[in-house]
């Protein structure tokens, strides 16, 4: 699994993805890790098929006993169907996920890990030396959906917002925004159900200082491409299946 | 423990649950037959005097069977939970071993050793408990055979008593036949449960 450091300060952000051994028919995903001196947060740690390469990659940066926090942006299997395995591997971890999805996510197996329910208005994840904000992104696309914003690193992990479906092995950052647009259009129009929810999210996110917008599929956006994405998404009509 | 063995456990536990559900239905039928027999015997009066206490026996047997099956169902459910846990831990062991292969050279690869050992131990404990529960369930199933055997004896007695019931002969013989058939079905179902459990034991 490819590991790309996207922030280096008092702590690190690492993007993990582009796994060469991923079974062909499962969707490619980006996982993110926030590594502090003695804690480690895994953001959308991935599906069950990805568990072994994902943990093997994480072990380059942190021992299992320091993987203290998991975050699931929503309930989809590519996000968190590996939960039952993390549950067996991590002796003292918490899962931060929507209160709405608790009864659903527990189907994956969650006996050792402490489930920390996130209320609809969001919250924070305190990693000791730093604190991350949990930003509501409901109906984008799941009915209870959250993103993670780091005001120090200026990174917004944006779940399925900004996602693109591409051939395996694509670069980790958008290089030409105009050419990238067509790789995102259908995904957003079809998976995102609500223009109202989209506008609420854009209003909220425009107030944040963002250097990197990091989606769960496809390439990340940095610098001016973040604003370009927000403008493009604002103008896009979503919910096209009805 | 092999994945295929866990699968056979799932199949065996599911088969037991299905057979027990059928036993429960049959036991309820016996109970209904007992109520029916009681009504007929009451109408027959003196002609079916010998039949009247038999109906109470039939009803008691049905009640005993229902109670035993309820109790066994709890065992079956517990076996199912153990099988789910064992399957999860077996899968975890397999995936952790895969992590070990992929993480060769990783700085913190050794930190997975402790969780792997713990999952292996938990898996063994879970499997040992499963075996104990299977043994106890086999004994409980043998207990269900007793009322089923007694029901067949009662059915034989019922036929004799029915033969003296004049115009009620056919009705009472039908009751005896129904009890006999039900007892036979229970016997067969319980036998299937025992066979399913024995297959798991043989696989150990």
């Amino acid at each position: 699994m490819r590991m790309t450091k996207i922030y280096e300060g008092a702590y690190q952000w690492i993007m993990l993805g582009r796994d060469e051994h991923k079974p062909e028919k499962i969707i490619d995903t980006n996982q993110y890790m926030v590594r502090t001196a003695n804690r480690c947060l895994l953001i959308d740690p991935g599906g069950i098929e990805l568990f072994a390469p994902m943990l093997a990659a994480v072990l380059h940066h942190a021992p299992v006993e320091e993987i203290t926090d998991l975050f699931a942006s929503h309930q989809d299997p590519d996000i968190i169907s590996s939960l039952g395995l993390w549950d067996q591997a991590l002796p003292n971890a918490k899962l931060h996920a929507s209160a709405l999805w608790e009864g659903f996510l527990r189907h994956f197996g969650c006996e050792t890990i402490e489930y920390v329910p996130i209320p609809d208005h969001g919250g924070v994840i305190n990693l000791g030396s730093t604190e991350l904000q949990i930003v509501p992104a409901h109906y984008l696309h799941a009915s209870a959906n959250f993103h993670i914003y780091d005001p120090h690193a200026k990174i917004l992990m944006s779940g399925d917002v900004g996602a693109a479906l591409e051939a395996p092995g694509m670069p980790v950052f958008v290089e030409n925004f105009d050419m990238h647009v067509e790789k995102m259009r259908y995904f957003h129009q079809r998976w995102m159900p609500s223009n109202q929810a989209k506008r609420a999210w854009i209003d909220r996110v425009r107030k944040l200082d963002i250097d990197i917008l990091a989606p769960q599929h496809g390439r990340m956006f940095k610098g001016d491409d973040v604003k370009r994405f927000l403008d493009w998404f604002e103008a896009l009509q979503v919910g096209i299946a009805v | 423990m092999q994945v295929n063995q866990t699968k056979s456990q799932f199949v065996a536990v599911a088969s037991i649950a299905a057979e027990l559900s059928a036993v429960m239905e049959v036991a309820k039928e016996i109970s209904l037959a007992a109520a029916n027999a009681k009504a007929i015997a009451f109408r027959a009066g003196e002609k079916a005097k010998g039949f009247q206490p038999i109906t109470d026996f039939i009803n008691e047997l049905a009640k005993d069977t229902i109670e035993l099956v309820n109790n066994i169902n709890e065992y079956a459910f517990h076996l199912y939970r153990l099988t789910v846990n064992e399957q999860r831990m077996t899968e975890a062991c397999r995936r952790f071993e895969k992590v070990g292969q992929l993480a060769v050279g990783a700085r913190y690869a050794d930190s997975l050793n402790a969780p792997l050992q713990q999952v292996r131990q938990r898996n063994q404990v879970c499997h040992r408990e499963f075996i104990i529960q299977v043994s106890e369930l086999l004994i409980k199933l043998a207990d269900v055979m007793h009322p089923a055997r007694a029901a067949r004896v009662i059915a034989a007695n019922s036929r004799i008593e029915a033969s003296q019931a004049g115009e009620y002969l056919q009705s009472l013989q039908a009751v005896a036949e129904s009890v006999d058939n039900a007892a036979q079905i229970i016997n067969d179902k319980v036998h299937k449960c025992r066979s399913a459990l024995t297959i798991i034991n043989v696989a150990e």
Side-chain angles (χ1 to χ4, degrees):
Chain A
M1 181 171 287
R2 191 167 162 187
M3 294 175 273
T4 308
K5 200 175 288 180
I6 59 174
Y7 175 76
E8 174 85 65
Y11 54 94
Q12 301 167 333
W13 270 76
I14 295 156
M15 180 262 209
L16 306 103
R18 313 294 189 268
D19 182 36
E20 291 174 5
H21 305 291
K22 174 186 76 64
E24 191 186 343
K25 289 190 176 177
I26 65 170
I27 190 167
D28 191 37
T29 50
N30 302 333
Q31 291 69 233
Y32 297 92
M33 172 168 59
V34 179
R35 175 68 169 133
T36 70
N38 55 5
R39 302 268 297 269
C40 181
L41 162 70
L42 302 180
I43 299 174
D44 286 356
I48 197 164
E49 289 294 336
L50 220 66
F51 172 80
M54 174 64 186
L55 179 52
V58 171
L59 290 178
H60 284 272
H61 301 275
V64 287
E65 63 271 19
E66 291 185 15
I67 306 171
T68 52
D69 297 82
L70 305 177
F71 167 80
S73 60
H74 59 291
Q75 83 297 354
D76 275 354
D78 63 320
I79 301 283
I80 190 67
S81 65
S82 56
L83 177 60
L85 294 167
W86 295 108
D87 192 56
Q88 300 284 346
L90 308 182
N92 40 22
K94 294 176 179 176
L95 169 67
H96 306 264
S98 165
L100 205 67
W101 290 127
E102 180 168 358
F104 295 73
L105 286 173
R106 285 187 180 277
H107 275 277
F108 291 131
C110 184
E111 288 174 11
T112 307
I113 288 176
E114 179 191 348
Y115 193 106
V116 182
I118 306 170
D120 273 355
H121 58 80
V124 295
I125 297 176
N126 190 323
L127 293 176
S129 56
T130 190
E131 193 170 82
L132 308 178
Q133 297 172 9
I134 301 172
V135 180
H138 304 312
Y139 302 107
L140 296 175
H141 65 90
S143 41
N145 213 121
F146 293 100
H147 296 162
I148 293 285
Y149 177 61
D150 181 342
H152 300 288
K154 299 181 181 176
I155 295 172
L156 176 69
M157 191 279 168
S158 59
D160 282 314
V161 177
L165 301 178
E166 287 193 71
M170 76 293 252
V172 294
F173 281 104
V174 171
E175 292 163 349
N176 182 323
F177 184 82
D178 292 336
M179 285 179 68
H180 189 65
V181 160
E182 288 313 313
K183 293 168 184 153
M184 303 189 286
R185 187 185 302 279
Y186 181 73
F187 183 91
H188 288 78
Q189 287 185 317
R190 182 64 184 84
W191 259 271
M192 305 297 163
S194 162
N195 287 301
Q196 187 185 346
K198 181 197 70 174
R199 279 192 295 274
W201 180 84
I202 287 172
D203 288 347
R204 182 178 282 122
V205 167
R206 281 202 193 279
K207 293 173 190 153
L208 306 176
D209 185 7
I210 302 170
D211 280 348
I212 295 176
L213 188 134
Q216 195 235 342
H217 306 283
R219 309 184 197 198
M220 294 177 282
F221 303 78
K222 62 181 172 184
D224 292 341
D225 281 341
V226 175
K227 185 179 179 305
R228 285 191 191 102
F229 172 76
L230 294 178
D231 291 344
W232 172 81
F233 190 37
E234 190 166 28
L236 189 73
Q237 286 297 305
V238 300
I240 60 166
V242 288
Chain B
M1 192 184 137
Q2 299 301 307
V3 174
N4 283 344
Q5 192 176 322
T6 322
K7 279 183 184 168
S8 71
Q9 277 184 215
F10 269 118
V11 172
V13 173
S15 314
I16 291 163
E19 300 297 348
L20 287 177
S21 173
V23 168
M24 189 67 101
E25 287 307 310
V26 173
K28 285 175 186 168
E29 280 172 25
I30 295 180
S31 187
L32 198 65
N36 190 29
K38 196 162 192 162
I40 296 168
F42 181 74
R43 282 205 302 276
E46 279 299 310
K47 290 176 187 167
K49 200 171 179 185
F51 205 93
Q52 283 172 6
I54 290 176
T55 61
D56 292 333
F57 272 120
I58 297 171
N59 199 30
E60 282 300 309
L61 284 174
K63 273 188 189 166
D64 288 350
T65 306
I66 289 169
E67 196 179 317
L68 279 166
V69 171
N70 271 332
N71 184 250
I72 288 172
N73 263 331
E74 285 175 24
Y75 272 84
F77 182 72
H78 189 49
L79 276 184
Y80 172 74
R81 291 301 319 162
L82 287 171
T83 304
V84 169
N85 287 342
E86 200 172 336
Q87 192 273 336
R88 281 191 168 147
M89 284 184 271
T90 302
E91 181 65 9
C93 286
R94 195 171 72 82
R95 301 274 178 174
F96 288 7
E97 283 159 7
K98 180 77 177 167
V99 174
Q101 291 164 16
L102 294 172
V104 171
R107 187 175 172 189
Y108 300 106
D110 290 347
S111 70
L112 190 64
N113 292 344
L116 177 57
Q117 285 308 317
Q118 282 163 9
V119 173
R120 281 179 179 151
Q121 282 169 8
R122 284 201 297 267
N123 203 7
Q124 283 169 1
V125 168
C126 188
H127 194 60
R128 276 200 292 273
E129 194 182 342
F130 183 87
I131 298 302
I132 291 166
Q133 292 286 320
V134 165
S135 303
E136 289 184 13
L137 184 52
L138 280 167
I139 294 166
K140 294 275 176 192
L141 285 168
D143 290 346
V144 179
M145 301 288 245
H146 297 148
R149 282 195 203 103
R152 299 209 72 185
V153 173
I154 287 172
N157 288 339
S158 300
R159 282 195 194 93
I160 295 166
E161 292 296 333
S163 65
Q164 294 162 20
E167 69 268 35
Y168 295 98
L169 169 74
Q170 280 190 329
S171 302
L172 291 175
Q173 269 187 341
V175 169
E177 208 57 40
S178 157
V179 170
D180 198 23
N181 284 341
Q184 184 61 47
I185 291 169
I186 290 176
N187 192 68
D188 291 348
K189 298 281 179 198
V190 172
H191 188 70
K192 279 184 186 168
C193 288
R194 289 172 63 87
S195 297
L197 288 174
T198 308
I199 287 167
I200 299 174
N201 270 345
V202 169
E204 292 314 304

